[in-house]
């Protein structure tokens, strides 16, 4: 009888072999992950999360730079007026700006329809994704199934580089 204690496996193979072994992992489905195509909703949620995170990062960075520029101006004014105790408050304006950017980004958060239109524009899918989002869960006819299949194919062909929203802008160079 061979014990698991004496079986030699590379360190990196332990987790993978446990997950793929029958009954060894909680996510074992009986077939490889590449064999099961993702559902439209799962693929859309994955890309929507990336888009929303990128837009959030852009807002936070923009408003942090605005706060730091205002803080640098305030610090320079405090230095000119010889107000030494007020100078560290300039750095706090950067944090205040980042917090404002977070609040603004949460208010301007894209809805599912907006993200679908964004993805359609970036992937060139002729509004298949937006149509599938609108039809998701409302109807099960064959036309909706075709639209979902086209949208899923468009999302499956997406790459992070094509979908990524622009985070850095030239005015971010103004960060002191």
């Amino acid at each position: 009888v061979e014990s698991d204690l004496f079986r030699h496996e590379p360190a990196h193979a332990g987790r993978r072999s446990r997950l793929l072994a029958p009954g060894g992992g909680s996510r074992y489905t009986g077939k490889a992950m590449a064999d099961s195509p993702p559902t439209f909703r799962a693929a859309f949620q994955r890309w929507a999360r990336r888009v929303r995170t990128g837009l959030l990062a852009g807002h936070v960075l923009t408003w942090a730079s605005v706060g730091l520029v205002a803080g640098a101006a305030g610090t320079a004014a405090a230095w000119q007026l010889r107000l030494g105790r007020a100078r560290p408050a300039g750095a706090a304006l950067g944090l205040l700006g980042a917090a404002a950017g977070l609040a603004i980004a949460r208010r301007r958060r894209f809805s599912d329809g907006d993200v679908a239109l964004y993805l359609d524009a970036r992937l060139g899918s002729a509004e298949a994704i937006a149509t599938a989002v609108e039809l998701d869960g409302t109807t099960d006819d064959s036309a909706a199934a075709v639209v979902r299949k086209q949208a899923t194919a468009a999302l499956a062909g997406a790459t992070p580089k094509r979908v990524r929203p622009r985070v850095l802008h030239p005015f971010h160079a103004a960060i002191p």
Side-chain angles (χ1 to χ4, degrees):
V1 175
E2 191 175 276
S3 171
D4 286 340
L5 182 63
F6 297 107
R7 188 172 60 185
H8 177 68
E9 287 184 3
H12 61 80
R15 179 177 158 85
R16 187 178 332 131
S17 63
R18 280 193 309 272
L19 288 176
L20 295 178
S26 61
R27 292 189 290 173
Y28 178 73
T29 61
K31 60 182 179 178
M33 294 291 279
D35 293 343
S36 61
T39 64
F40 167 73
R41 181 49 62 183
F44 176 75
Q45 290 298 333
R46 176 178 162 238
W47 289 111
R49 186 172 40 253
R50 279 183 170 242
V51 168
R52 288 180 180 132
T53 302
L55 292 172
L56 177 105
H59 280 292
V60 169
L61 188 59
T62 297
W63 284 97
S65 70
V66 168
L68 286 172
V69 167
T75 300
W79 176 76
Q80 184 68 27
L81 296 173
R82 310 252 189 251
L83 299 173
R85 290 180 170 238
R87 287 189 306 202
L93 285 177
L95 293 175
L96 186 64
L102 182 65
I104 289 170
R106 299 225 2 122
R107 275 186 65 91
R108 292 184 178 177
R109 183 177 185 260
F110 275 14
S111 66
D112 282 349
D114 293 335
V115 172
L117 287 172
Y118 174 86
L119 289 171
D120 278 328
R122 296 291 259 186
L123 300 175
S125 57
E127 295 191 9
I129 299 170
T131 305
V133 165
E134 294 300 322
L135 292 176
D136 197 34
T138 60
T139 181
D140 275 341
D141 62 353
S142 61
V146 169
V147 170
R148 281 190 204 101
K149 185 176 178 180
Q150 290 173 346
T152 304
L155 291 172
T159 61
K161 186 175 182 179
R162 286 179 63 195
V163 173
R164 182 180 306 127
R166 187 172 180 182
V167 175
L168 294 174
H169 298 281
F171 56 84
H172 289 145
I175 297 175

